[in-house]
Amino acid sequence: MQDKLNAIEKAALESLESVKDQAALDAWRVAHVGRSSPLMQVFAELGKLSKEERPVVGQAANKVKVALEAALAERTEAVKAAALAKALEEEQLDVTLPGRTVNVGHLHPSTQQLRRVLAILADMGFQVYTSREVETDEMNFQMLNFPPHHPAREMQDSFYVEAGERGDNPILMRTHTSPGQIRAMREYAATNPSDPPAIRIALPGMCFRYEQVTTRSEMQFNQVEGLVVGKGITFADLKGTIADFAQRMFGQGARTRFRASYFPFTEPSAEVDAECFVCGGKGCQVCKNSGWLEILGCGMVHPVVLQNGGYDPTIYSGFAWGMGPERQLMLRYKINDIRYFWGNDVRFLSQF
Ligand code: DAH
């Protein structure tokens, strides 16, 4: 019987050596220490033995059982350790791999420029006044001293939203930010009609024109309008304000010059050039060898416009201007095609 037990133990331990995973461990347990294993068979047949033999064989069989169970426990640990080592090997994290960058969007260049302009104007004491994009002919033209059928309207061909029944006052997309002047003046004047308060505001926003889209003209673009109204405001205030703005925008040394011009809503009117910041005034491709770049239109608010806004032109005077952030960006970065701004090409936009 002892030989038989030795053989059982030897066979079991030998077969345990080839066990490499959990499934094989389970199978080995069933085969060698399970209920119908040869070893358990010995226990089952103890009853058939004589009284003397029974404890001897029982003890010997128990020794084998303890040995096999110990071997199984040891093997189980080894299998687990091997599985863990394998997993660590395969799932290794390579911390030297370059990371994947996350694409973060940013403000549109026009918005960035709009904010630069407004930040400078805020430092100079201007408040932001936003006005509507959909306007009436009355506000966009008539109140600004463009009479019906006036040829100056041809400077700004319009997109009409609703014409037909509205006769002389069709609804249109504003062609400039200037109608905001009338709305702002009326709002301020309404707070104290007998002695309206002074005004110092910047009016930013999108404008729309029914124009052939070319490298130089778009059917939509931003403007920043400026309006100052008060008692004793002169052309010198206009010049000083614009010159100060140009230095803050284009650099301390930036010079400006005023050229006489015409707008229906200002008298006198002027266009302002800044000294070319690309060549410093020497003449280059960007300024077309003139040394100067046109940056805005401006003038003293026309008496009729003041009147329309609720400000008595015999008491009040004021100045206004209109400038284009996209135009400023084109000059600054030598962008030769305005269509890039609304072309939504990230290769263009991501440069800003
Ligand atoms: N509204 C004019 C335009 O769009 C720009 C302009 C010129 C605005 C002179 C003004 C101004 O306020 O005084 O062409």
Side-chain angles (χ1 to χ4, degrees), residues 82-148:
L84 180 64
K86 191 165 172 247
L88 286 176
E89 171 86 7
E90 282 172 359
E91 294 160 19
Q92 200 181 53
L93 181 68
D94 183 353
V95 291
T96 66
L97 275 177
R100 283 180 211 127
T101 52
V102 178
N103 278 324
V104 180
H106 63 76
L107 292 176
H108 189 281
S110 292
T111 307
Q112 291 180 30
Q113 182 66 10
L114 213 50
R115 291 190 179 184
R116 262 179 227 130
V117 170
L118 293 177
I120 289 172
L121 291 172
D123 284 347
M124 294 169 66
F126 285 78
Q127 295 205 325
V128 172
Y129 185 97
T130 48
S131 188
R132 59 190 68 184
E133 292 181 344
V134 180
E135 268 297 1
T136 58
D137 184 280
E138 184 185 26
M139 289 294 176
N140 194 79
F141 291 123
Q142 295 167 39
M143 289 295 124
L144 291 167
N145 203 29
F146 288 79

Side-chain angles (χ1 to χ4, degrees), residues 156 175-176 178 181 209 223 225 263 265-266 297-299 320-322:
Q156 304 181 4
T175 59
H176 50 175
S178 305
Q181 289 189 28
R209 288 188 197 172
Q223 281 191 344
E225 189 95 4
F263 300 102
F265 36 89
T266 44
C298 63
W321 77 77

Side-chain angles (χ1 to χ4, degrees), residues 9 13 34 36 48 63 69 106 111 133 157 160 218 232 243 248 257 271 284 335:
E9 183 175 2
L13 291 177
S36 43
K48 292 181 190 162
K63 251 175 89 184
E69 275 168 355
H106 63 76
T111 307
E133 292 181 344
D157 284 323
Y160 289 94
E218 250 291 5
R248 291 171 189 248
R257 73 174 183 189
E271 279 173 298
C284 69
I335 298 162

Side-chain angles (χ1 to χ4, degrees), residues 9 33 39 43 60-72:
E9 183 175 2
V33 290
L39 179 60
F43 282 108
N62 221 20
K63 251 175 89 184
V64 172
K65 187 173 172 236
V66 167
L68 290 187
E69 275 168 355
L72 174 64

Side-chain angles (χ1 to χ4, degrees), residues 321-340:
W321 77 77
M323 62 171 95
E326 282 86 29
R327 183 171 163 74
Q328 289 167 355
L329 284 173
M330 290 176 79
L331 296 174
R332 175 148 229 88
Y333 296 108
K334 299 179 205 171
I335 298 162
N336 56 15
D337 192 334
I338 196 174
R339 293 173 298 184
Y340 282 126

